[in-house]
């Protein structure tokens, strides 16, 4: 029996395994996924998770529940040695071990790109995983509770100041959703006023949302500004030590919540720890049919897709262009990967990846959005409804569609759920403290014994 090993259980990996389960003959091959998380994150829902519009668990699709015949290994691949047809797996606990394969599928996905900015690693939160989206939401809600108990002043201003770094889709959607949540929360906090909120979006380029044209991008900036936000274009984060934000423009302010969404980087295992061919960006070189290598120098039995693969964009008029790293491509490539792998096993036709864009759509907060398809631009509530309609259809499995829809319908009837569960990030604090009041982040003496 052949061993098909999939490195990464994100969009492309999940859809590849899902498709293989449907198309492989019984006993023909065993499919294995190696991923440190036991679920596939539906990342377009993360901004709505930060706003409480989508339940966190509903943005995650369980690999074990929906891949019934695929072997799931909880761990990270730290090295790929195709010359030996082996990978090195690092489990959550225990020693590293080797795993062999006959066919390799690399869908490890990208990682958050960071820079050596003072204070960034200590203060910022990413927005690539469900855990991060939940932490952003809970931190904002906890900040509101703390600010409401303080008199006006520097500490209260810091708690009510939010900074997003990165003006791509993830950053703009998360920023817009969190701004919408904060504005709505003011109704429950009579001690606080709208003027005390301070939301900053920092982008190094001269525009945000590079996937849309200049006009719609400028409209999004104006829309955010009308809602009280500050958009800093052509600006970089210089320092964030202890939450004190310093921008390249010279502006300085204190911010209790800093969210980093400034782009992606190639997965380290692809960039640094493989004998497979990679380009200057650290992405795996693949052909239009998603097989690794080039037409003149193919790599047998290796396939790749998603954010860490340089997939030729056959639909682009620009020679040598590659598909951009987004959910549309990752899902479609994963589906094609499954078909092409089975076709290669059965002697069938292997197809090239060629896509037709469905346009781009973004949420900017409850009842706000933007959609663009070629020259067609739709703004406001219609675009927001299109965003919700598209993604509830796109999220895999009917079980997840129904769960997401039920949360949206409940919110439409009863409003947002404004409960912070930040304490779950430190579940032992109450037990160790034994009822003794503690400030957030305050440690407990090891010799303390609860009364």
């Amino acid at each position: 029996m052949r061993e098909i090993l999939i490195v990464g259980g994100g969009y492309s990996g999940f859809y590849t395994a899902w498709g293989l389960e449907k198309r492989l003959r019984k006993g023909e091959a065993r499919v294995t996924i190696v991923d440190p998380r036991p679920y596939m994150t539906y990342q377009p829902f993360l901004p709505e998770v930060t706003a409480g519009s989508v339940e966190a668990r509903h943005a995650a699709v369980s690999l074990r529940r929906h891949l019934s015949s695929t072997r799931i290994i909880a761990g990270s691949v730290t090295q790929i040695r195709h010359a030996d047809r082996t990978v090195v797996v690092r489990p959550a606990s225990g020693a590293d071990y080797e795993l062999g394969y006959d066919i390799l599928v690399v869908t490890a996905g990208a990682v958050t790109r960071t820079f050596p900015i003072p204070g960034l690693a200590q203060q910022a939160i990413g927005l690539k995983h469900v855990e991060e989206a939940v932490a952003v939401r809970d931190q904002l809600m906890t900040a509101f509770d703390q600010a409401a108990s303080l008199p006006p002043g520097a500490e209260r201003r810091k708690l009510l100041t939010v900074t997003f770094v990165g003006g791509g889709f993830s950053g703009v959607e998360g920023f817009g959703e969190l701004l919408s949540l904060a504005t709505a929360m003011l109704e429950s906090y009579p001690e606080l006023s709208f003027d005390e909120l301070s939301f900053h979006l920092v982008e190094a380029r001269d525009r945000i949302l590079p996937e849309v044209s200049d006009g719609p991008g400028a409209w999004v900036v104006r829309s955010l500004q009308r809602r009280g936000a500050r958009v800093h274009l052509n600006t970089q984060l210089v320092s964030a030590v202890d939450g004190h934000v310093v921008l390249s423009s010279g502006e300085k302010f204190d911010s209790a919540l800093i969210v980093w969404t400034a782009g992606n980087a190639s997965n380290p295992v692809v960039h640094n720890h493989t004998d497979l061919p990679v380009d200057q960006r650290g992405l795996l070189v693949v052909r239009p049919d998603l097989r690794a290598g080039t037409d003149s120098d193919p790599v047998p039995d290796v396939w790749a897709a998603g954010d860490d693969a340089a997939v030729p964009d056959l639909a682009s008029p620009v020679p040598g262009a590659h598909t951009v790293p987004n959910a549309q491509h990752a899902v479609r490539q994963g589906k094609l990967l499954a078909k092409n792998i089975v076709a290669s096993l059965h002697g069938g036709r292997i197809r090239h990846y060629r896509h037709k864009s469905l346009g781009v759509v973004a949420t900017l907060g409850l009842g706000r959005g933007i959609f663009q398809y070629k020259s067609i631009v739709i703004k406001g509530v219609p675009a927001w409804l299109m965003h919700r309609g598209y993604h509830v259809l796109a999220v895999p499995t009917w079980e997840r569609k129904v769960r997401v829809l039920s949360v949206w319908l409940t919110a439409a009837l009863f409003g947002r759920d404004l409960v912070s569960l930040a304490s779950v990030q430190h579940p032992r604090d109450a037990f160790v403290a034994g009822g003794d009041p503690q400030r957030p982040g305050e440690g407990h003496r090891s010799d303390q014994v609860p009364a």
Side-chain angles (χ1 to χ4, degrees), residues 56-397:
R57 290 172 299 171
H58 301 166
V61 180
S62 170
L63 299 181
R64 294 186 182 276
R65 177 169 184 172
H66 299 290
L67 299 176
S68 57
S69 61
T70 297
R71 180 172 60 154
I72 310 297
I73 295 179
S76 300
V77 171
T78 60
Q79 188 177 6
I80 298 173
R81 299 197 302 267
H82 186 60
D84 303 326
R85 302 287 177 114
T86 61
V87 301
V88 177
V89 177
R90 178 165 297 164
S93 61
D96 294 2
Y97 62 90
E98 294 185 351
L99 197 63
Y101 62 84
D102 297 299
I103 298 172
L104 179 68
V105 179
V106 182
T107 54
V111 297
T112 301
R113 180 184 61 183
T114 58
F115 299 97
I117 298 172
L120 180 65
Q122 294 75 28
Q123 300 295 323
I125 304 175
L127 193 56
K128 199 171 184 63
H129 302 290
V130 172
E131 302 94 328
E132 294 171 324
V134 172
V136 169
R137 175 177 181 266
D138 286 346
Q139 188 164 324
L140 177 73
M141 291 184 171
T142 301
F144 264 63
D145 287 331
Q146 294 171 354
S149 64
L150 293 174
E155 185 60 28
R156 181 155 146 169
R157 286 196 302 272
K158 180 178 180 179
L159 288 167
L160 298 177
T161 299
V162 175
T163 305
F164 271 66
V165 183
F169 260 81
S170 179
V172 172
E173 288 189 312
F175 184 79
E177 286 285 352
L178 210 63
L179 176 59
S180 179
L181 172 63
T183 304
M185 286 174 62
L186 289 173
E187 297 180 6
S188 302
Y189 291 84
E191 305 92 341
L192 307 177
S193 68
F194 178 80
D195 293 338
E196 293 180 280
L197 291 181
S198 185
F199 272 67
H200 298 262
L201 177 62
V202 181
E203 169 54 46
R205 292 167 292 188
D206 61 354
R207 53 163 300 174
I208 62 174
L209 296 178
E211 292 87 350
V212 304
S213 55
D214 291 346
W219 176 84
V220 172
V221 171
R222 294 194 300 271
S223 174
L224 293 172
Q225 290 173 336
R226 285 195 297 268
R227 294 162 60 188
R230 292 280 307 280
V231 180
H232 306 264
L233 300 178
N234 294 311
T235 305
Q236 297 178 357
L237 177 66
V238 175
S239 176
V241 176
D242 295 328
H244 183 65
V245 174
V246 180
L247 303 179
S248 59
S249 62
E251 187 167 353
K252 302 176 183 179
F253 52 87
D254 291 331
S255 180
L257 176 56
I258 302 172
V259 184
W260 179 269
T261 63
N264 296 321
S266 174
N267 193 293
V269 69
V270 174
H271 194 187
N272 302 316
H273 304 292
T274 179
D275 55 358
L276 298 172
V278 297
D279 65 10
Q280 66 276 11
R281 298 171 297 166
L283 302 179
L284 195 63
V285 176
V286 299
R287 295 180 288 184
D289 59 8
L290 305 181
R291 287 184 285 193
T294 62
D295 292 334
S296 60
D297 190 16
V299 180
D301 299 321
V302 179
W303 306 75
D307 292 356
D308 57 7
V311 179
D313 190 350
L314 302 183
S316 173
V318 180
H322 296 92
T323 58
V324 297
N326 62 24
Q328 276 192 43
H329 288 302
V331 170
R332 294 176 178 185
Q333 289 168 9
K335 292 178 178 180
L336 181 63
L337 257 179
K339 295 176 183 177
N340 279 353
I341 291 172
V342 173
S344 70
L345 294 175
H346 298 168
R349 179 187 174 189
I350 297 177
R351 301 176 182 273
H352 286 182
Y353 178 72
R354 184 186 297 271
H355 70 98
K356 292 182 180 179
S357 175
L358 301 176
V360 291
V361 63
T363 175
L364 304 174
L366 196 64
R368 302 175 175 90
I370 187 164
F371 168 82
Q372 182 175 16
Y373 177 71
K374 297 181 179 180
S375 61
I376 300 173
V377 177
I378 300 174
K379 306 170 184 175
V381 175
W384 176 75
L385 291 172
M386 293 172 68
H387 177 273
R388 287 206 160 182
Y390 170 76
H391 284 299
V392 79
L393 291 174
V395 67
T397 79

